[in-house]
Amino acid sequence: MTGLPRLPETGSFSQFLRRVGEALDAFERYDQPDPMTRAHAWTAALAGSLPDDGVGAEATVAELVDVIVPNGQRIADPRFSGFVTAAPSTVPLVAATAAMLASPQRQTLSAFHLIEEQSLEWLAELCGLRPHMKGVYASGGSVANLLAMGAARQWAFAGAGLDAGADGLGSQRVAIYASVEAHHTIQRAAGVLGLGRRCVRPIPVDDRMCIDVDELRAALVAGRGGGVLPVAVVATAGTTNTGAIDPLRACGELAAEFDAWFHVDGAYGLPASLDPRVAPLLDGLELADSAIVDPHKWLGAPVGVAAAFVRDRAQLFGAFTQEPADYLEGSFTGDVECSFDSLGVPYADMTVELSSPARGVTVWSLLKEQGKSGVAARIQRDIDYARTVHRLATEHPRLQSLLEPQLSVAAIRYVGNPPMPDRELDELNRALHRRLIRETRYLPSTTTVRRVLTIRPCFVNTRTTPEHVTGLVDEIIRIGDQLAGA
Ligand SMILES: *Cc1c(COP(=O)(O)O)cnc(C)c1O
């Protein structure tokens, strides 16, 4: 006996995961009342202060299974089309769970570490990126955009003789050029990187909601005239709002002409390169100095995984390297005989996280399971869903489609027949959306397209069927007719 204390055991994985799995299977059937419209009965059940003494593993898992999981968030419901993030498909979720224990970190030479790099390569290929693009995983598109802008900043300031990552920014005036429809994580990245959110110049969009290239050129010319250092031109390959794809080649050529880094934000849309109908819209992707994609959006990985790819990972190093720490550097020999001889690919020096889950395994698992053809079939299906909504709305006498979908987002509204006055339509469609999400199981979002309020279904859910697509349109017509007294 050593006299050291022994604390209670916490149960086995197989025992608890089986029960959690059964609860998740039940949750995923969505045959219970909608958690969003109930009077939040679970809040009382969960209220309570920090326990002095634990209830133990058994009771904790029981509460998880009985109270928390059934009152989760209905994003995985096949009728949910409100976000551009999706619920995970089954295999990547299981893979993520396994990684939590079998490789709680991505560094050191484990099988998980190996597929971290391999899956980045597969993902780049899947998205039509050239082999010279090397990546690092991040928690989401927000951080991936931050990394790419950090690399752009590093590169742009190096051109002006400054190591921005090490020495800071000096007094150089800078600009990042992105369309008004670009994701706001670009502004936030600029803020975090010390460039300032206001350095992002909002470039107007055309009728298709794509960046106006003439306006972009004019802004670059004005910046040059004013002595502004152009840090990056950002094109979005699939805007979050409407799935619009900026003209990549024109943007990339302008970036080169003005000595700016060229970034492609493909957080949502880059997997569309798998659809031959859409691939031509991504022409010019090879000009990118950096590109991001979020497997936790269209690819169905569990939330918490995006990839930032750059032409040259040295720029990420310069921007984000972690200064040496004894407790990390000291223990590795650099040999590759055993897992702990080396940290392996030094991802932690290319991003803002040291500890990080092994995220590649989720991407690996879904690509292994479905293959390129399986992923392509689903991407094409989702694009067909959006096109179907567009077609049904165009053909219907009382609906209007505001946009021909480029990706899997549609934007439609109820207008009545004869069409009601424009000033009444925003309010009618807002009321329609409110009733839709309260009375039915459908849950698209709304957005504004050319200052008009529209209903915006975004199809990224692996589980959505054709009946859910036509069913949504039918319900919009039914509620619209009631509201309009038709
Ligand atoms: C969702 C999205 C982001 C942000 O990604 P998160 O994973 O939500 O952090 C950035 N850019 C675009 C185009 C997006 O759609």
Side-chain angles (χ1 to χ4, degrees):
M1 289 292 285
T2 60
L4 291 171
R6 193 178 294 282
L7 294 177
E9 297 289 334
T10 53
S12 80
F13 291 106
S14 54
Q15 177 199 351
F16 288 144
L17 284 179
R18 168 172 291 282
R19 283 168 54 191
V20 172
E22 284 164 0
L24 289 176
D25 282 341
F27 179 67
E28 206 211 316
R29 286 192 290 276
Y30 301 103
D31 49 13
Q32 86 246 21
D34 176 2
M36 292 217 326
T37 56
R38 266 193 284 171
H40 299 271
W42 71 90
T43 50
L46 293 173
S49 49
L50 171 68
D52 275 335
D53 299 309
V55 295
E58 184 62 37
T60 304
V61 172
E63 190 163 341
L64 177 69
V65 161
D66 296 338
V67 184
I68 297 183
V69 168
N71 293 301
Q73 196 184 42
R74 208 160 50 84
I75 291 180
D77 189 323
R79 302 170 201 80
F80 180 93
S81 57
F83 296 169
V84 75
T85 45
S89 56
T90 310
V91 171
L93 178 67
V94 170
T97 307
M100 296 277 174
L101 184 79
S103 187
Q105 296 276 359
R106 64 178 147 187
Q107 304 295 169
T108 79
L109 306 176
S110 70
F112 287 86
H113 180 74
L114 186 118
I115 58 174
E116 195 86 348
E117 191 72 357
Q118 184 191 58
S119 65
L120 282 163
E121 285 167 12
W122 288 2
L123 183 62
E125 186 186 336
L126 185 89
C127 292
L129 293 169
R130 298 281 165 86
H132 63 250
M133 296 297 273
K134 298 287 180 222
V136 60
Y137 285 117
S139 57
S142 310
V143 175
N145 272 336
L146 173 72
L147 300 181
M149 289 303 100
R153 184 193 68 173
Q154 195 65 21
W155 173 86
F157 276 71
L162 280 170
D163 181 344
D167 301 326
L169 304 181
S171 58
Q172 179 65 54
R173 286 177 60 220
V174 297
I176 292 171
Y177 301 86
S179 94
V180 291
E181 291 283 301
H183 200 272
H184 288 180
T185 50
I186 299 295
Q187 272 94 334
R188 184 162 58 191
V192 173
L193 290 164
L195 305 172
R197 290 192 295 275
R198 283 196 203 102
C199 91
V200 181
R201 299 289 143 84
I203 311 295
V205 290
D206 61 18
D207 274 356
R208 303 195 70 204
M209 310 293 274
C210 303
I211 195 167
D212 183 323
V213 177
D214 293 335
E215 296 273 4
L216 174 60
R217 171 180 285 283
L220 284 159
V221 168
R224 177 178 275 176
V228 173
L229 179 71
V231 171
V233 168
V234 176
T236 310
T239 58
T240 320
N241 199 22
T242 66
I245 301 172
D246 289 335
L248 303 187
R249 182 165 302 284
C251 291
E253 285 173 357
L254 272 177
E257 184 183 331
F258 285 83
D259 289 324
W261 181 274
F262 180 42
H263 174 61
V264 175
D265 182 353
Y268 154 47
L270 219 48
S273 65
L274 291 167
D275 185 334
R277 301 168 300 179
V278 177
L281 293 177
L282 295 165
D283 170 59
L285 181 59
E286 79 280 3
L287 301 177
D289 296 300
S290 58
I292 71 158
V293 61
D294 279 15
H296 69 206
K297 286 181 172 161
W298 217 346
L299 298 182
V303 163
V305 57
F309 293 100
V310 289
R311 189 181 287 280
D312 179 3
R313 286 201 287 207
Q315 303 298 345
L316 289 176
F317 260 80
F320 298 111
T321 192
Q322 169 155 292
E323 299 293 336
D326 288 344
Y327 65 92
L328 279 180
E329 318 310 311
S331 23
F332 299 101
T333 61
D335 299 338
V336 288
E337 282 164 41
C338 100
S339 293
F340 287 98
D341 280 342
S342 162
L343 284 172
V345 181
Y347 296 114
D349 282 309
M350 297 186 261
T351 175
V352 291
E353 298 166 294
L354 176 55
S355 294
S356 158
R359 298 187 169 102
V361 68
T362 61
V363 176
W364 168 87
S365 71
L366 71 92
L367 296 178
K368 195 83 184 173
E369 177 200 0
Q370 302 164 40
K372 206 170 162 179
S373 66
V375 177
R378 197 173 63 73
I379 296 293
Q380 291 178 29
R381 180 205 70 175
D382 289 346
I383 291 172
D384 283 337
Y385 284 172
R387 291 179 176 197
T388 299
V389 169
H390 167 72
R391 182 176 53 76
L392 291 173
T394 306
E395 288 169 3
H396 194 278
R398 297 189 295 285
L399 296 180
Q400 181 190 24
S401 173
L402 277 295
L403 277 178
E404 192 174 332
Q406 295 178 49
L407 296 179
S408 66
V409 180
I412 67 169
R413 64 175 179 169
Y414 185 92
V415 290
N417 186 25
M420 299 162 62
D422 246 346
R423 64 194 142 69
E424 290 174 25
L425 285 177
D426 277 7
E427 202 178 323
L428 178 121
N429 281 281
R430 197 170 293 117
L432 194 164
H433 180 259
R434 235 178 269 127
R435 278 188 54 182
L436 184 72
I437 69 174
R438 279 166 178 69
E439 291 172 21
T440 79
R441 300 290 297 276
Y442 292 102
L443 215 169
S445 72
T446 59
T447 189
T448 52
V449 174
R450 297 188 292 274
R451 287 185 290 282
V452 159
L453 185 104
T454 75
I455 294 168
R456 170 194 169 277
C458 173
F459 298 104
V460 285
N461 189 321
T462 52
R463 300 169 178 91
T464 303
T465 66
E467 292 70 37
H468 295 129
V469 177
T470 50
L472 167 65
V473 176
D474 289 345
E475 290 289 12
I476 290 173
I477 296 166
R478 180 183 66 80
I479 298 172
D481 282 350
Q482 283 183 9
L483 286 170

